[in-house]
Amino acid sequence: EAQVTQNPRYLITVTGKKLTVTCSQNMNHEYMSWYRQDPGLGLRQIYYSMNVEVTDKGDVPEGYKVSRKEKRNFPLILESPSPNQTSLYFCASSLAGVTHEQFFGPGTRLTVL
Amino acid sequence: SQKIEQNSEALNIQEGKTATLTCNYTNYSPAYLQWYRQDPGRGPVFLLLIRENEKEKRKERLKVTFDTTLKQSLFHITASQPADSATYLCALDMYTNSGYALNFGKGTSLLVTP
């Protein structure tokens, strides 16, 4: 089944404890991206990747890192999480960028205490 | 700055009626505009994509229009059903220094009552 998977789905952590949210797609998509969604603010793009080893900042990249070493994986790294990073995170992928439909993962609900 | 505006108030309509949702944008020149559906706590699901040179696109009960002069897209659901109740998001491509990013509006919540 064609899908985007994220892990973990739920995470409660403490300030400053490094964490990684994994994202994987099995559709051989070139474009992958990360969004966070907050009440009243909507979906905001954190980082995106046009292809392997090509990444760029979205609207809200501060406090996040990404890497794209393999086509199928696009992990989101929070080196030192803070409470303002408490949010619902979505990974998405598409065949070739924003001119194609985006396939979203199920979301990761992160709480930073 | 670039801005995408969708009706912030929820839209309540009766089953069987046509729902019309609006997406307005400023300081964009998108080549593509997309509409997504999102249910609570779940990821958005793609519905329709329309190109700047297309005025209208249809898919089953859904219809999207794209007016680049007015900088507006309208999203219609005909013969609406309670199962259509969800939040609907529009998204526009934006060119950056290293490629295209996709920006979403905040969405409009639709409630269809029997």
Side-chain angles (χ1 to χ4, degrees):
Chain A
E1 179 191 354
Q3 60 183 346
V4 178
T5 56
Q6 294 178 229
N7 281 293
R9 293 290 315 280
Y10 304 90
L11 179 60
I12 300 174
T13 189
V14 295
T15 297
K17 187 176 180 182
K18 181 179 177 180
L19 67 92
T20 299
V21 184
T22 65
C23 173
S24 184
Q25 50 92 6
N26 62 1
M27 295 170 278
N28 201 35
H29 284 171
E30 290 189 352
Y31 185 92
M32 297 185 75
S33 58
W34 276 102
Y35 294 85
R36 61 177 288 174
Q37 188 170 39
D38 303 287
L41 296 177
L43 270 171
R44 293 179 294 167
Q45 193 169 45
I46 304 170
Y47 269 94
Y48 63 97
S49 169
M50 302 291 287
N51 213 324
V52 174
E53 303 292 0
V54 180
T55 63
D56 203 4
K57 298 176 181 178
D59 291 329
V60 289
E62 295 76 22
Y64 304 95
K65 284 175 57 176
V66 293
S67 69
R68 187 94 182 271
K69 293 184 170 57
E70 305 166 281
K71 198 170 188 178
R72 63 183 294 129
N73 296 324
F74 190 44
L76 179 70
I77 303 156
L78 285 71
E79 295 270 3
S80 182
S82 63
N84 64 12
Q85 292 179 297
T86 292
S87 188
L88 179 58
Y89 290 86
F90 290 104
C91 179
S93 74
S94 77
L95 185 63
V98 300
T99 58
H100 293 73
E101 68 175 281
Q102 307 294 305
F103 291 81
F104 281 82
T108 294
R109 189 167 291 281
L110 173 65
T111 301
V112 183
L113 302 174
Chain B
S1 64
Q2 294 159 319
K3 205 171 178 181
I4 304 171
E5 291 183 347
Q6 297 187 249
N7 311 53
S8 57
E9 293 181 13
L11 181 62
N12 293 346
I13 65 166
Q14 201 171 16
E15 182 176 9
K17 303 290 186 184
T18 296
T20 298
L21 286 68
T22 305
C23 176
N24 294 303
Y25 58 93
T26 55
N27 297 325
Y28 273 95
S29 295
Y32 300 84
L33 191 147
Q34 302 182 36
W35 283 88
Y36 289 79
R37 169 189 172 134
Q38 187 176 25
D39 293 287
R42 303 178 77 99
V45 175
F46 173 80
L47 296 174
L48 281 167
L49 179 151
I50 186 165
R51 295 173 176 77
E52 61 176 339
N53 60 351
E54 297 177 314
K55 298 294 184 191
E56 181 180 297
K57 203 154 194 182
R58 293 174 184 260
K59 178 183 174 183
E60 298 173 352
R61 294 184 297 112
L62 309 180
K63 184 178 86 170
V64 172
T65 62
F66 192 10
D67 189 326
T68 55
T69 302
L70 291 179
K71 294 186 180 295
Q72 181 182 77
S73 175
L74 298 178
F75 177 79
H76 306 272
I77 306 175
T78 58
S80 59
Q81 305 165 359
D84 295 326
S85 298
T87 296
Y88 291 85
L89 310 169
C90 70
L92 282 70
D93 63 288
M94 178 181 71
Y95 184 72
T96 69
N97 288 338
S98 54
Y100 284 90
L102 193 63
N103 283 358
F104 282 81
K106 294 179 183 177
T108 298
S109 177
L110 172 67
L111 179 62
V112 181
T113 53

